[in-house]
PDB file of all heavy atoms in Angstrom:
ATOM      1  N   LEU A 139      -2.951 -10.806   4.443  1.00  0.00           N
ATOM      2  CA  LEU A 139      -2.873 -12.178   4.816  1.00  0.00           C
ATOM      3  C   LEU A 139      -4.363 -12.630   5.006  1.00  0.00           C
ATOM      4  O   LEU A 139      -5.028 -12.257   5.986  1.00  0.00           O
ATOM      5  CB  LEU A 139      -2.018 -12.356   6.026  1.00  0.00           C
ATOM      6  CG  LEU A 139      -1.828 -13.799   6.482  1.00  0.00           C
ATOM      7  CD1 LEU A 139      -1.104 -14.608   5.430  1.00  0.00           C
ATOM      8  CD2 LEU A 139      -1.058 -13.754   7.883  1.00  0.00           C
ATOM      9  N   LEU A 140      -4.667 -13.570   4.112  1.00  0.00           N
ATOM     10  CA  LEU A 140      -6.106 -14.139   4.282  1.00  0.00           C
ATOM     11  C   LEU A 140      -6.194 -15.210   5.430  1.00  0.00           C
ATOM     12  O   LEU A 140      -5.114 -15.723   5.719  1.00  0.00           O
ATOM     13  CB  LEU A 140      -6.458 -14.773   2.994  1.00  0.00           C
ATOM     14  CG  LEU A 140      -6.624 -13.796   1.752  1.00  0.00           C
ATOM     15  CD1 LEU A 140      -6.810 -14.584   0.460  1.00  0.00           C
ATOM     16  CD2 LEU A 140      -7.770 -12.780   1.986  1.00  0.00           C
ATOM     17  N   PRO A 141      -7.376 -15.458   5.960  1.00  0.00           N
ATOM     18  CA  PRO A 141      -7.512 -16.422   6.984  1.00  0.00           C
ATOM     19  C   PRO A 141      -6.963 -17.854   6.705  1.00  0.00           C
ATOM     20  O   PRO A 141      -6.415 -18.560   7.560  1.00  0.00           O
ATOM     21  CB  PRO A 141      -8.917 -16.485   7.302  1.00  0.00           C
ATOM     22  CG  PRO A 141      -9.578 -15.180   6.778  1.00  0.00           C
ATOM     23  CD  PRO A 141      -8.682 -14.761   5.625  1.00  0.00           C
ATOM     24  N   ASP A 142      -6.900 -18.113   5.335  1.00  0.00           N
ATOM     25  CA  ASP A 142      -6.417 -19.584   4.976  1.00  0.00           C
ATOM     26  C   ASP A 142      -4.839 -19.519   4.833  1.00  0.00           C
ATOM     27  O   ASP A 142      -4.260 -20.563   4.359  1.00  0.00           O
ATOM     28  CB  ASP A 142      -7.001 -20.035   3.783  1.00  0.00           C
ATOM     29  CG  ASP A 142      -6.838 -19.215   2.465  1.00  0.00           C
ATOM     30  OD1 ASP A 142      -6.037 -18.174   2.580  1.00  0.00           O
ATOM     31  OD2 ASP A 142      -7.272 -19.462   1.470  1.00  0.00           O
ATOM     32  N   GLY A 143      -4.252 -18.360   5.124  1.00  0.00           N
ATOM     33  CA  GLY A 143      -2.718 -18.271   5.030  1.00  0.00           C
ATOM     34  C   GLY A 143      -2.203 -17.769   3.667  1.00  0.00           C
ATOM     35  O   GLY A 143      -1.029 -17.566   3.466  1.00  0.00           O
ATOM     36  N   LYS A 144      -3.077 -17.602   2.703  1.00  0.00           N
ATOM     37  CA  LYS A 144      -2.600 -17.155   1.397  1.00  0.00           C
ATOM     38  C   LYS A 144      -2.549 -15.604   1.437  1.00  0.00           C
ATOM     39  O   LYS A 144      -3.165 -15.032   2.253  1.00  0.00           O
ATOM     40  CB  LYS A 144      -3.681 -17.496   0.317  1.00  0.00           C
ATOM     41  CG  LYS A 144      -3.714 -19.087   0.125  1.00  0.00           C
ATOM     42  CD  LYS A 144      -4.593 -19.516  -0.956  1.00  0.00           C
ATOM     43  CE  LYS A 144      -4.618 -20.981  -1.070  1.00  0.00           C
ATOM     44  NZ  LYS A 144      -5.673 -21.483  -2.046  1.00  0.00           N
ATOM     45  N   THR A 145      -1.885 -15.103   0.587  1.00  0.00           N
ATOM     46  CA  THR A 145      -1.792 -13.588   0.421  1.00  0.00           C
ATOM     47  C   THR A 145      -2.585 -13.037  -0.715  1.00  0.00           C
ATOM     48  O   THR A 145      -2.768 -13.739  -1.763  1.00  0.00           O
ATOM     49  CB  THR A 145      -0.295 -13.176   0.362  1.00  0.00           C
ATOM     50  OG1 THR A 145       0.261 -13.633  -0.854  1.00  0.00           O
ATOM     51  CG2 THR A 145       0.454 -13.606   1.568  1.00  0.00           C
ATOM     52  N   THR A 146      -3.018 -11.920  -0.647  1.00  0.00           N
ATOM     53  CA  THR A 146      -3.680 -11.193  -1.728  1.00  0.00           C
ATOM     54  C   THR A 146      -3.118  -9.752  -1.838  1.00  0.00           C
ATOM     55  O   THR A 146      -2.767  -9.099  -0.775  1.00  0.00           O
ATOM     56  CB  THR A 146      -5.183 -11.136  -1.525  1.00  0.00           C
ATOM     57  OG1 THR A 146      -5.800 -10.656  -2.610  1.00  0.00           O
ATOM     58  CG2 THR A 146      -5.576 -10.405  -0.230  1.00  0.00           C
ATOM     59  N   GLU A 147      -3.064  -9.196  -3.053  1.00  0.00           N
ATOM     60  CA  GLU A 147      -2.635  -7.830  -3.264  1.00  0.00           C
ATOM     61  C   GLU A 147      -3.809  -6.921  -2.897  1.00  0.00           C
ATOM     62  O   GLU A 147      -4.920  -7.065  -3.357  1.00  0.00           O
ATOM     63  CB  GLU A 147      -2.255  -7.558  -4.639  1.00  0.00           C
ATOM     64  CG  GLU A 147      -0.895  -8.167  -5.028  1.00  0.00           C
ATOM     65  CD  GLU A 147      -0.426  -7.771  -6.488  1.00  0.00           C
ATOM     66  OE1 GLU A 147      -1.070  -6.991  -7.107  1.00  0.00           O
ATOM     67  OE2 GLU A 147       0.701  -8.376  -6.857  1.00  0.00           O
ATOM     68  N   LEU A 148      -3.466  -5.920  -2.060  1.00  0.00           N
ATOM     69  CA  LEU A 148      -4.524  -5.001  -1.644  1.00  0.00           C
ATOM     70  C   LEU A 148      -4.324  -3.629  -2.334  1.00  0.00           C
ATOM     71  O   LEU A 148      -5.339  -2.934  -2.686  1.00  0.00           O
ATOM     72  CB  LEU A 148      -4.472  -4.691  -0.173  1.00  0.00           C
ATOM     73  CG  LEU A 148      -4.725  -5.986   0.660  1.00  0.00           C
ATOM     74  CD1 LEU A 148      -4.580  -5.749   2.112  1.00  0.00           C
ATOM     75  CD2 LEU A 148      -6.148  -6.500   0.448  1.00  0.00           C
ATOM     76  N   ALA A 149      -3.059  -3.252  -2.714  1.00  0.00           N
ATOM     77  CA  ALA A 149      -2.809  -1.946  -3.367  1.00  0.00           C
ATOM     78  C   ALA A 149      -1.401  -1.980  -3.967  1.00  0.00           C
ATOM     79  O   ALA A 149      -0.498  -2.678  -3.431  1.00  0.00           O
ATOM     80  CB  ALA A 149      -2.866  -0.813  -2.329  1.00  0.00           C
ATOM     81  N   ASN A 150      -1.273  -1.280  -5.063  1.00  0.00           N
ATOM     82  CA  ASN A 150       0.000  -1.186  -5.744  1.00  0.00           C
ATOM     83  C   ASN A 150       0.377   0.372  -5.875  1.00  0.00           C
ATOM     84  O   ASN A 150      -0.470   1.139  -6.192  1.00  0.00           O
ATOM     85  CB  ASN A 150       0.021  -1.820  -7.152  1.00  0.00           C
ATOM     86  CG  ASN A 150      -0.138  -3.259  -6.943  1.00  0.00           C
ATOM     87  OD1 ASN A 150       0.723  -3.921  -6.669  1.00  0.00           O
ATOM     88  ND2 ASN A 150      -1.267  -3.741  -7.488  1.00  0.00           N
ATOM     89  N   TYR A 151       1.628   0.724  -5.815  1.00  0.00           N
ATOM     90  CA  TYR A 151       2.000   1.994  -5.874  1.00  0.00           C
ATOM     91  C   TYR A 151       3.233   2.183  -6.768  1.00  0.00           C
ATOM     92  O   TYR A 151       4.118   1.305  -6.796  1.00  0.00           O
ATOM     93  CB  TYR A 151       2.477   2.533  -4.476  1.00  0.00           C
ATOM     94  CG  TYR A 151       1.340   2.720  -3.559  1.00  0.00           C
ATOM     95  CD1 TYR A 151       0.955   1.528  -2.826  1.00  0.00           C
ATOM     96  CD2 TYR A 151       0.632   3.801  -3.464  1.00  0.00           C
ATOM     97  CE1 TYR A 151      -0.155   1.650  -1.882  1.00  0.00           C
ATOM     98  CE2 TYR A 151      -0.496   3.913  -2.533  1.00  0.00           C
ATOM     99  CZ  TYR A 151      -0.785   2.875  -1.873  1.00  0.00           C
ATOM    100  OH  TYR A 151      -1.948   2.996  -1.006  1.00  0.00           O
ATOM    101  N   GLU A 152       3.286   3.083  -7.666  1.00  0.00           N
ATOM    102  CA  GLU A 152       4.475   3.448  -8.504  1.00  0.00           C
ATOM    103  C   GLU A 152       5.657   3.948  -7.784  1.00  0.00           C
ATOM    104  O   GLU A 152       5.384   4.406  -6.659  1.00  0.00           O
ATOM    105  CB  GLU A 152       4.039   4.408  -9.630  1.00  0.00           C
ATOM    106  CG  GLU A 152       2.874   3.875 -10.548  1.00  0.00           C
ATOM    107  CD  GLU A 152       3.462   2.662 -11.335  1.00  0.00           C
ATOM    108  OE1 GLU A 152       4.576   2.697 -11.761  1.00  0.00           O
ATOM    109  OE2 GLU A 152       2.642   1.694 -11.461  1.00  0.00           O
ATOM    110  N   PRO A 153       6.843   3.936  -8.287  1.00  0.00           N
ATOM    111  CA  PRO A 153       7.991   4.512  -7.645  1.00  0.00           C
ATOM    112  C   PRO A 153       7.756   5.911  -7.069  1.00  0.00           C
ATOM    113  O   PRO A 153       7.087   6.813  -7.742  1.00  0.00           O
ATOM    114  CB  PRO A 153       9.102   4.566  -8.616  1.00  0.00           C
ATOM    115  CG  PRO A 153       8.672   3.457  -9.682  1.00  0.00           C
ATOM    116  CD  PRO A 153       7.145   3.432  -9.606  1.00  0.00           C
ATOM    117  N   GLU A 154       8.207   6.159  -5.845  1.00  0.00           N
ATOM    118  CA  GLU A 154       8.077   7.520  -5.249  1.00  0.00           C
ATOM    119  C   GLU A 154       6.660   7.858  -4.749  1.00  0.00           C
ATOM    120  O   GLU A 154       6.343   8.907  -4.403  1.00  0.00           O
ATOM    121  CB  GLU A 154       8.764   8.530  -5.938  1.00  0.00           C
ATOM    122  CG  GLU A 154      10.206   8.255  -6.193  1.00  0.00           C
ATOM    123  CD  GLU A 154      11.033   9.508  -6.577  1.00  0.00           C
ATOM    124  OE1 GLU A 154      10.557  10.707  -6.170  1.00  0.00           O
ATOM    125  OE2 GLU A 154      12.120   9.343  -7.117  1.00  0.00           O
ATOM    126  N   ASN A 155       5.701   6.841  -4.879  1.00  0.00           N
ATOM    127  CA  ASN A 155       4.279   7.278  -4.543  1.00  0.00           C
ATOM    128  C   ASN A 155       3.923   6.644  -3.234  1.00  0.00           C
ATOM    129  O   ASN A 155       2.682   6.795  -2.819  1.00  0.00           O
ATOM    130  CB  ASN A 155       3.309   6.768  -5.632  1.00  0.00           C
ATOM    131  CG  ASN A 155       3.346   7.791  -6.806  1.00  0.00           C
ATOM    132  OD1 ASN A 155       3.788   8.773  -6.613  1.00  0.00           O
ATOM    133  ND2 ASN A 155       2.743   7.323  -7.846  1.00  0.00           N
ATOM    134  N   LEU A 156       4.802   5.949  -2.558  1.00  0.00           N
ATOM    135  CA  LEU A 156       4.461   5.427  -1.213  1.00  0.00           C
ATOM    136  C   LEU A 156       5.484   5.893  -0.130  1.00  0.00           C
ATOM    137  O   LEU A 156       5.211   6.760   0.714  1.00  0.00           O
ATOM    138  CB  LEU A 156       4.345   3.924  -1.190  1.00  0.00           C
ATOM    139  CG  LEU A 156       3.738   3.351   0.018  1.00  0.00           C
ATOM    140  CD1 LEU A 156       2.346   3.835   0.362  1.00  0.00           C
ATOM    141  CD2 LEU A 156       3.702   1.773  -0.061  1.00  0.00           C
ATOM    142  N   PHE A 157       6.713   5.276  -0.200  1.00  0.00           N
ATOM    143  CA  PHE A 157       7.733   5.717   0.778  1.00  0.00           C
ATOM    144  C   PHE A 157       8.658   6.674   0.004  1.00  0.00           C
ATOM    145  O   PHE A 157       9.703   6.324  -0.529  1.00  0.00           O
ATOM    146  CB  PHE A 157       8.487   4.487   1.269  1.00  0.00           C
ATOM    147  CG  PHE A 157       7.659   3.602   2.142  1.00  0.00           C
ATOM    148  CD1 PHE A 157       7.209   2.386   1.737  1.00  0.00           C
ATOM    149  CD2 PHE A 157       7.432   3.953   3.464  1.00  0.00           C
ATOM    150  CE1 PHE A 157       6.505   1.625   2.569  1.00  0.00           C
ATOM    151  CE2 PHE A 157       6.703   3.284   4.280  1.00  0.00           C
ATOM    152  CZ  PHE A 157       6.260   2.061   3.895  1.00  0.00           C
ATOM    153  N   ASN A 158       8.363   7.948   0.088  1.00  0.00           N
ATOM    154  CA  ASN A 158       9.096   9.059  -0.516  1.00  0.00           C
ATOM    155  C   ASN A 158       9.539   9.920   0.570  1.00  0.00           C
ATOM    156  O   ASN A 158       8.776  10.507   1.289  1.00  0.00           O
ATOM    157  CB  ASN A 158       8.132   9.709  -1.422  1.00  0.00           C
ATOM    158  CG  ASN A 158       8.858  10.941  -2.089  1.00  0.00           C
ATOM    159  OD1 ASN A 158       9.897  11.395  -1.759  1.00  0.00           O
ATOM    160  ND2 ASN A 158       8.325  11.325  -3.291  1.00  0.00           N
ATOM    161  N   PRO A 159      10.852  10.079   0.706  1.00  0.00           N
ATOM    162  CA  PRO A 159      11.373  10.981   1.878  1.00  0.00           C
ATOM    163  C   PRO A 159      10.865  12.417   1.719  1.00  0.00           C
ATOM    164  O   PRO A 159      10.850  13.084   2.822  1.00  0.00           O
ATOM    165  CB  PRO A 159      12.918  10.812   1.771  1.00  0.00           C
ATOM    166  CG  PRO A 159      13.118   9.488   1.059  1.00  0.00           C
ATOM    167  CD  PRO A 159      11.939   9.260   0.077  1.00  0.00           C
ATOM    168  N   ARG A 160      10.531  12.848   0.562  1.00  0.00           N
ATOM    169  CA  ARG A 160      10.103  14.235   0.504  1.00  0.00           C
ATOM    170  C   ARG A 160       8.598  14.410   0.676  1.00  0.00           C
ATOM    171  O   ARG A 160       8.245  15.562   0.908  1.00  0.00           O
ATOM    172  CB  ARG A 160      10.569  14.738  -0.987  1.00  0.00           C
ATOM    173  CG  ARG A 160      11.976  14.813  -1.159  1.00  0.00           C
ATOM    174  CD  ARG A 160      12.253  15.328  -2.563  1.00  0.00           C
ATOM    175  NE  ARG A 160      11.540  14.753  -3.651  1.00  0.00           N
ATOM    176  CZ  ARG A 160      11.919  13.682  -4.268  1.00  0.00           C
ATOM    177  NH1 ARG A 160      13.089  13.061  -3.942  1.00  0.00           N
ATOM    178  NH2 ARG A 160      11.266  13.150  -5.221  1.00  0.00           N
ATOM    179  N   MET A 161       7.841  13.371   0.671  1.00  0.00           N
ATOM    180  CA  MET A 161       6.438  13.547   0.820  1.00  0.00           C
ATOM    181  C   MET A 161       5.729  12.226   1.378  1.00  0.00           C
ATOM    182  O   MET A 161       5.583  11.296   0.632  1.00  0.00           O
ATOM    183  CB  MET A 161       5.805  13.790  -0.564  1.00  0.00           C
ATOM    184  CG  MET A 161       4.325  13.998  -0.476  1.00  0.00           C
ATOM    185  SD  MET A 161       3.513  14.574  -2.072  1.00  0.00           S
ATOM    186  CE  MET A 161       4.389  16.155  -2.285  1.00  0.00           C
ATOM    187  N   PRO A 162       5.478  12.211   2.657  1.00  0.00           N
ATOM    188  CA  PRO A 162       4.782  11.076   3.297  1.00  0.00           C
ATOM    189  C   PRO A 162       3.324  10.909   2.596  1.00  0.00           C
ATOM    190  O   PRO A 162       2.805  11.922   2.120  1.00  0.00           O
ATOM    191  CB  PRO A 162       4.608  11.525   4.656  1.00  0.00           C
ATOM    192  CG  PRO A 162       5.723  12.597   4.923  1.00  0.00           C
ATOM    193  CD  PRO A 162       5.836  13.233   3.563  1.00  0.00           C
ATOM    194  N   ARG A 163       2.881   9.653   2.617  1.00  0.00           N
ATOM    195  CA  ARG A 163       1.665   9.371   2.015  1.00  0.00           C
ATOM    196  C   ARG A 163       0.745   8.475   2.890  1.00  0.00           C
ATOM    197  O   ARG A 163       1.322   7.626   3.633  1.00  0.00           O
ATOM    198  CB  ARG A 163       1.917   8.657   0.734  1.00  0.00           C
ATOM    199  CG  ARG A 163       2.821   9.134  -0.248  1.00  0.00           C
ATOM    200  CD  ARG A 163       1.906  10.112  -1.169  1.00  0.00           C
ATOM    201  NE  ARG A 163       2.919  10.548  -2.246  1.00  0.00           N
ATOM    202  CZ  ARG A 163       2.582  11.370  -3.142  1.00  0.00           C
ATOM    203  NH1 ARG A 163       1.276  11.684  -3.325  1.00  0.00           N
ATOM    204  NH2 ARG A 163       3.423  11.723  -3.949  1.00  0.00           N
ATOM    205  N   TYR A 164      -0.570   8.636   2.749  1.00  0.00           N
ATOM    206  CA  TYR A 164      -1.554   7.685   3.280  1.00  0.00           C
ATOM    207  C   TYR A 164      -1.665   6.571   2.301  1.00  0.00           C
ATOM    208  O   TYR A 164      -1.565   6.800   1.111  1.00  0.00           O
ATOM    209  CB  TYR A 164      -2.939   8.364   3.457  1.00  0.00           C
ATOM    210  CG  TYR A 164      -2.978   9.152   4.761  1.00  0.00           C
ATOM    211  CD1 TYR A 164      -2.802  10.521   4.649  1.00  0.00           C
ATOM    212  CD2 TYR A 164      -3.242   8.536   5.944  1.00  0.00           C
ATOM    213  CE1 TYR A 164      -2.897  11.338   5.904  1.00  0.00           C
ATOM    214  CE2 TYR A 164      -3.328   9.302   7.118  1.00  0.00           C
ATOM    215  CZ  TYR A 164      -3.171  10.579   7.049  1.00  0.00           C
ATOM    216  OH  TYR A 164      -3.261  11.460   8.274  1.00  0.00           O
ATOM    217  N   ILE A 165      -1.919   5.344   2.806  1.00  0.00           N
ATOM    218  CA  ILE A 165      -2.156   4.199   1.887  1.00  0.00           C
ATOM    219  C   ILE A 165      -3.703   4.202   1.490  1.00  0.00           C
ATOM    220  O   ILE A 165      -4.409   4.788   2.175  1.00  0.00           O
ATOM    221  CB  ILE A 165      -1.717   2.895   2.463  1.00  0.00           C
ATOM    222  CG1 ILE A 165      -2.586   2.501   3.675  1.00  0.00           C
ATOM    223  CG2 ILE A 165      -0.240   2.840   2.839  1.00  0.00           C
ATOM    224  CD1 ILE A 165      -2.342   1.019   4.121  1.00  0.00           C
ATOM    225  N   ALA A 166      -4.009   3.508   0.456  1.00  0.00           N
ATOM    226  CA  ALA A 166      -5.315   3.414   0.011  1.00  0.00           C
ATOM    227  C   ALA A 166      -6.290   2.865   0.955  1.00  0.00           C
ATOM    228  O   ALA A 166      -5.840   1.936   1.880  1.00  0.00           O
ATOM    229  CB  ALA A 166      -5.386   2.516  -1.310  1.00  0.00           C
ATOM    230  N   VAL A 167      -7.416   3.401   1.069  1.00  0.00           N
ATOM    231  CA  VAL A 167      -8.405   2.972   2.110  1.00  0.00           C
ATOM    232  C   VAL A 167      -8.737   1.508   1.966  1.00  0.00           C
ATOM    233  O   VAL A 167      -8.898   0.792   3.046  1.00  0.00           O
ATOM    234  CB  VAL A 167      -9.727   3.837   1.961  1.00  0.00           C
ATOM    235  CG1 VAL A 167     -10.796   3.346   2.909  1.00  0.00           C
ATOM    236  CG2 VAL A 167      -9.459   5.264   2.236  1.00  0.00           C
ATOM    237  N   ASN A 168      -8.756   0.946   0.805  1.00  0.00           N
ATOM    238  CA  ASN A 168      -9.128  -0.489   0.566  1.00  0.00           C
ATOM    239  C   ASN A 168      -7.998  -1.360   1.237  1.00  0.00           C
ATOM    240  O   ASN A 168      -8.341  -2.595   1.432  1.00  0.00           O
ATOM    241  CB  ASN A 168      -9.341  -0.870  -0.837  1.00  0.00           C
ATOM    242  CG  ASN A 168      -8.204  -0.659  -1.750  1.00  0.00           C
ATOM    243  OD1 ASN A 168      -7.373   0.259  -1.492  1.00  0.00           O
ATOM    244  ND2 ASN A 168      -8.063  -1.353  -2.760  1.00  0.00           N
ATOM    245  N   ALA A 169      -6.727  -0.816   1.399  1.00  0.00           N
ATOM    246  CA  ALA A 169      -5.796  -1.713   2.080  1.00  0.00           C
ATOM    247  C   ALA A 169      -6.027  -1.861   3.509  1.00  0.00           C
ATOM    248  O   ALA A 169      -5.539  -2.851   4.119  1.00  0.00           O
ATOM    249  CB  ALA A 169      -4.398  -1.105   1.662  1.00  0.00           C
ATOM    250  N   MET A 170      -6.749  -0.950   4.110  1.00  0.00           N
ATOM    251  CA  MET A 170      -7.054  -1.019   5.523  1.00  0.00           C
ATOM    252  C   MET A 170      -8.404  -1.778   5.693  1.00  0.00           C
ATOM    253  O   MET A 170      -9.346  -1.270   6.204  1.00  0.00           O
ATOM    254  CB  MET A 170      -7.148   0.430   6.125  1.00  0.00           C
ATOM    255  CG  MET A 170      -5.862   1.133   6.011  1.00  0.00           C
ATOM    256  SD  MET A 170      -4.514   0.394   6.947  1.00  0.00           S
ATOM    257  CE  MET A 170      -4.976   0.611   8.623  1.00  0.00           C
ATOM    258  N   CYS A 171      -8.420  -3.097   5.368  1.00  0.00           N
ATOM    259  CA  CYS A 171      -9.614  -3.769   5.299  1.00  0.00           C
ATOM    260  C   CYS A 171      -9.763  -4.824   6.401  1.00  0.00           C
ATOM    261  O   CYS A 171     -10.634  -5.611   6.527  1.00  0.00           O
ATOM    262  CB  CYS A 171      -9.770  -4.594   4.008  1.00  0.00           C
ATOM    263  SG  CYS A 171      -8.397  -5.725   3.693  1.00  0.00           S
ATOM    264  N   GLY A 172      -8.872  -4.648   7.476  1.00  0.00           N
ATOM    265  CA  GLY A 172      -9.011  -5.558   8.659  1.00  0.00           C
ATOM    266  C   GLY A 172      -8.004  -6.762   8.684  1.00  0.00           C
ATOM    267  O   GLY A 172      -7.855  -7.431   9.567  1.00  0.00           O
TER     268      GLY A 172
END
């Protein structure tokens, strides 16, 4: 969420590469930008 209220994409993940019950994941560092 940008300061002007608009949204921007920070990271994209293919199926089963983010919320996978068999394997937890860290998100990309660039998504943790403040």
Side-chain angles (χ1 to χ4, degrees):
L139 182 62
L140 298 171
D142 65 4
K144 294 181 182 177
T145 61
T146 186
E147 287 187 6
L148 300 174
N150 292 293
Y151 294 87
E152 294 300 315
E154 298 200 23
N155 282 347
L156 188 61
F157 289 105
N158 181 339
R160 293 182 312 273
M161 183 174 295
R163 305 274 184 176
Y164 278 98
I165 67 170
V167 173
N168 63 328
M170 297 299 290
C171 61

